Amino acid sequence: MSAQRKDDHVRLAIEQQDTRSGINQFDEVSFVHHALAGIDRPQVSLDTTFAGISWQVPLYINAMTGGTAKTGVINRGLAIAARETGVPIASGSMHAYLKDPTCADTFRVLRQENPHGFVIANVNATASVDDTRRALDLLEADALQIHVNTAQETAMPEGDRSFGSWVPQIEKIAAAVDVPVIVKEVGNGLSRETVLLLRQLGVHAADVGGRGGTDFARIENGRRPLGDYAFLHDWGQSTAACLLDAQSAGLPVLASGGVRHPLDVARALALGASGVGASGVFLRTLLDGGPEALIEQLTNWLDQLAALQTMLGARTPADLASNDLIIHGTLRSFCTDRGIDTGRLARRSRSADTLHNATGKAQ
Ligand code: FNR
């Protein structure tokens, strides 16, 4: 069942890449254009640091798969692309390996093909400390992701129906392992309240994993003969909304869910993310064109991100968090109701301060 589910996820996620339409709230975030903000390209770095982690790029291939022969081949392709581009990579849930070690190779390939890369192991929030250590050991992992996915489990025919143990278990794992621990949603988003709780639990970073891209409630509902959980499609908060919501939570955040191109990466960084992940888009490229196509895509994204930073005057990804942003439409309503000051975002850059001071002096 578990193996069949992994192959179903790949098939249904790719179908979503072909059919997905509707609003993506990244489109409701725009940069204020300052025509003289630009800097020289050699001044731009893509380095990012958060939670004791240093990456040379603020982009990562987020958790997807492993556990079957077919997904082992996918992991090999993802790992080759990660190695060739220096992009960090997360494994899919290692639950399959923890239950059946005979599929170890389908995960281990992530490290074998990418011996010097940054590799993240992924477990669920019911994994024991011992099992979590086994997962980390198999990949010689540099960090741990614990995924939380109540909407997916609810829509999944064979999913969990009890979530009460997750909070104490996350706290236990975070205290026990000696790599940074990232808790991630799988596409329904983390609220400010959840991020605050994660901070209290000793977690080192939160991947907000918001709505807007791959929709796991929809995928699981697609595996139900009656499709009777369609009302859970599009559940939760978008990635942009989560980033805005988490700004005051005091925990480093990563962004994933519905990231389509380098401008979305820049938007997420400007909304406070320390790194930005994507899954479905990269899977699609790999299955269409193999590792070479994914290497080309990742290289282009990094090049275009550096070009955007140059235009926006951001020497580092973190500098983007001082750029002026306008929040539009439904995302603006979300901000109003959640008490987020969009005016402050629109006037936060140094150039705006300078302008303001200059105007003040002139008066
Ligand atoms: C996923 N995702 C995922 N996440 C996780 O934490 N553990 C997992 O095992 C999986 N499995 C998985 C399989 C496939 C085929 C896809 C496409 C995705 C979720 C993923 O990490 C990410 O949170 C969502 O896909 C949203 O990002 P995108 O796809 O919109 O970029």
Side-chain angles (χ1 to χ4, degrees):
M1 172 62 87
S2 173
Q4 180 58 43
R5 183 164 76 230
K6 295 291 148 193
D7 291 346
D8 285 352
H9 285 171
V10 169
R11 179 177 53 80
L12 292 163
I14 289 296
E15 266 178 44
Q16 276 191 13
Q17 287 291 312
D18 294 335
T19 56
R20 189 128 186 101
S21 61
I23 188 168
N24 181 318
Q25 280 189 327
F26 276 122
D27 288 333
E28 297 189 327
V29 179
S30 49
F31 286 91
V32 175
H33 178 61
H34 296 304
L36 292 177
I39 54 175
D40 297 347
R41 178 67 175 262
Q43 295 175 289
V44 168
S45 144
L46 294 180
D47 291 0
T48 185
T49 302
F50 63 97
I53 294 171
S54 290
W55 287 347
Q56 285 174 355
V57 294
L59 181 67
Y60 56 100
I61 300 172
N62 214 353
M64 278 188 266
T65 205
T68 65
K70 192 171 152 187
T71 57
V73 173
I74 291 174
N75 273 346
R76 179 180 300 279
L78 294 172
I80 291 169
R83 178 188 72 212
E84 294 302 314
T85 56
V87 170
I89 183 168
S91 78
S93 170
M94 296 181 70
H95 183 73
Y97 158 68
L98 297 171
K99 293 283 156 264
D100 174 13
T102 62
C103 69
D105 285 351
T106 68
F107 291 98
R108 195 162 30 210
V109 67
L110 288 168
R111 176 54 83 195
Q112 280 168 339
E113 290 290 353
N114 186 20
H116 308 299
F118 194 99
V119 177
I120 309 171
N122 181 296
V123 299
N124 63 37
T126 63
S128 69
V129 167
D130 280 352
D131 278 355
T132 303
R133 289 200 175 112
R134 281 173 57 214
L136 288 167
D137 287 348
L138 185 76
L139 300 188
E140 298 166 60
D142 302 288
L144 176 72
Q145 279 183 339
I146 304 174
H147 67 263
V148 292
N149 61 339
T150 53
Q152 178 185 5
E153 295 291 343
T154 301
M156 188 190 300
E158 69 280 23
D160 281 348
R161 298 289 178 262
S162 301
F163 310 120
S165 67
W166 289 14
V167 167
Q169 196 54 27
I170 289 171
E171 186 169 32
K172 228 185 257 175
I173 295 171
V177 301
D178 50 15
V179 293
V181 175
I182 302 161
V183 168
K184 81 176 276 280
E185 242 289 353
V186 302
N188 303 106
L190 297 176
S191 66
R192 179 192 312 158
E193 290 79 354
T194 307
V195 176
L196 283 167
L197 176 57
L198 292 174
R199 194 180 75 174
Q200 284 168 19
L201 297 178
V203 165
H204 304 98
D207 178 339
V208 299
R211 173 171 58 78
T214 306
D215 177 352
F216 263 92
R218 195 182 289 262
I219 286 178
E220 298 301 350
N221 192 46
R223 299 177 55 243
R224 286 179 171 270
L226 297 179
D228 48 345
Y229 271 75
F231 46 77
L232 280 187
H233 293 179
D234 296 319
W235 186 263
Q237 291 92 262
S238 74
T239 302
C242 293
L243 293 171
L244 286 158
D245 211 22
Q247 280 189 338
S248 53
L251 192 69
V253 286
L254 301 171
S256 68
V259 173
R260 300 159 295 179
H261 44 57
L263 177 57
D264 285 346
V265 177
R267 285 165 163 155
L269 295 167
L271 291 170
S274 298
V276 183
S279 295
V281 171
F282 295 152
L283 180 65
R284 176 64 194 269
T285 301
L286 178 75
L287 294 185
D288 284 354
E292 298 73 24
L294 184 54
I295 291 166
E296 190 182 339
Q297 182 176 43
L298 291 168
T299 306
N300 285 342
W301 277 39
L302 294 172
D303 185 52
Q304 291 181 320
L305 177 63
L308 286 171
Q309 282 184 220
T310 307
M311 181 183 87
L312 289 161
R315 284 164 206 261
T316 65
D319 282 353
L320 286 169
S322 305
N323 275 75
D324 298 325
L325 295 177
I326 305 291
I327 307 297
H328 310 269
T330 55
L331 190 55
R332 195 178 180 86
S333 310
F334 173 86
C335 289
T336 305
D337 288 349
R338 296 288 283 174
I340 298 159
D341 183 356
T342 54
R344 191 188 58 76
L345 288 174
R347 297 186 295 268
R348 64 184 176 171
S349 76
R350 258 183 310 192
S351 58
D353 282 352
T354 313
L355 194 66
H356 182 71
N357 291 341
T359 315
K361 271 184 203 135
Q363 278 168 354

